[in-house]
Amino acid sequence: MNVEALRTYIQNEILNDPDFVIEADQDLLLSEILNSLSVTMLLVHLEAVCNVRIPPEDVTLENFSTLESIAGYVQRLSESTG
């Protein structure tokens, strides 16, 4: 899952606003783009699309604060399980 695919999913499915601007390094939690419910929706999407299992202990600010951190985390997870 790359940054652009994440951006598109969040804009279209979570925010319902394809024109909403999300920078790759923007903090999605502090800026309130994502909340606990939308993070859960994102986790379900990532697990289904990327064929990975995301352990609850991995849902941290380090892994899920920006589009870049999410993409990097999913890539590392895919490589370690693939």
Side-chain angles (χ1 to χ4, degrees), residues 5 10 17 26 42-43 47 54 61 70 72 76:
I10 292 170
D17 185 355
Q26 182 175 3
L42 179 59
L43 293 174
E47 288 185 338
I54 300 172
L61 291 175
I70 297 167
R76 290 188 307 276

Side-chain angles (χ1 to χ4, degrees), residues 9-16 33-34 38-39 41-42:
Y9 175 77
I10 292 170
Q11 289 169 322
N12 293 329
E13 303 300 324
I14 293 177
L15 301 175
N16 294 315
I33 292 171
L34 295 181
S38 55
V39 168
M41 292 171 57
L42 179 59

Side-chain angles (χ1 to χ4, degrees), residues 3-82:
V3 168
E4 195 54 43
L6 282 167
R7 180 182 289 121
T8 300
Y9 175 77
I10 292 170
Q11 289 169 322
N12 293 329
E13 303 300 324
I14 293 177
L15 301 175
N16 294 315
D17 185 355
D19 298 322
F20 190 88
V21 177
I22 306 172
E23 300 298 328
D25 61 349
Q26 182 175 3
D27 192 308
L28 302 171
L29 302 167
L30 287 178
S31 63
E32 299 182 355
I33 292 171
L34 295 181
N35 59 32
S36 59
L37 178 58
S38 55
V39 168
T40 302
M41 292 171 57
L42 179 59
L43 293 174
V44 170
H45 174 73
L46 292 172
E47 288 185 338
V49 170
C50 301
N51 197 29
V52 295
R53 184 186 168 286
I54 300 172
E57 61 269 15
D58 283 2
V59 183
T60 62
L61 291 175
E62 181 181 337
N63 293 331
F64 285 88
S65 61
T66 67
L67 295 175
E68 291 172 338
S69 66
I70 297 167
Y73 168 74
V74 171
Q75 180 176 346
R76 290 188 307 276
L77 188 62
S78 295
E79 290 170 356
S80 70
T81 60

